[in-house]
Amino acid sequence: MARPEFHLFVCTQRRPDGHPRGSCTAKGGAALLDAFAQALIRRNLQGRMALTGTGCLGPCQAGANVLVYPGAVMYSWVEPADAEVIVRQHLLEGEPWVDKLTPSELW
Ligand code: FES
């Protein structure tokens, strides 16, 4: 496999109901991972971009969170419909989507 141009890490951390930190899965992380997979497939980008479901990225209160390398760019409060925008604007056009960037006090 060639080295990917971008690697997306989508938080799919689970925690028990009532856990004080909550979890990205409780905020749609699994659906978000699927939305990114579909967005990459639709554009035939699987060979250029890597996608991984991952454990906790840190700012649980802002989930669902997505971390993009290179650049360590984190997006928060990401919803499945946002996957298309991030893939197009960040991965293909090289412009991170500032509206969804994790606030600096969290990341
Ligand atoms: S559970 Fe997703 S960032 Fe912590």
Side-chain angles (χ1 to χ4, degrees):
M1 178 181 174
R3 185 179 301 186
E5 296 170 38
F6 288 96
H7 197 148
L8 297 104
F9 295 89
V10 178
C11 182
T12 54
Q13 178 74 49
R14 294 177 184 276
R15 292 195 175 96
D17 290 345
H19 191 286
R21 293 181 68 183
S23 73
C24 286
T25 290
K27 297 170 184 167
L32 183 59
L33 179 63
D34 186 57
F36 272 108
Q38 294 304 316
L40 295 177
I41 290 168
R42 269 194 295 279
R43 295 169 184 266
N44 198 27
L45 293 171
Q46 309 95 298
R48 293 173 52 192
M49 314 296 179
L51 174 64
T52 302
T54 188
C56 182
L57 294 169
C60 313
Q61 69 272 43
N65 294 301
V66 178
L67 182 58
V68 181
Y69 282 97
V73 177
M74 191 182 292
Y75 293 101
S76 289
W77 296 286
V78 184
E79 300 176 4
D82 299 332
E84 279 288 340
V85 180
I86 292 170
V87 167
R88 176 181 45 78
Q89 185 170 316
H90 186 153
L91 277 54
L92 294 177
E93 298 174 4
E95 290 291 331
W97 186 18
V98 294
D99 293 359
K100 287 282 183 166
L101 292 177
T102 304
S104 58
E105 63 269 22
L106 297 179
W107 169 253

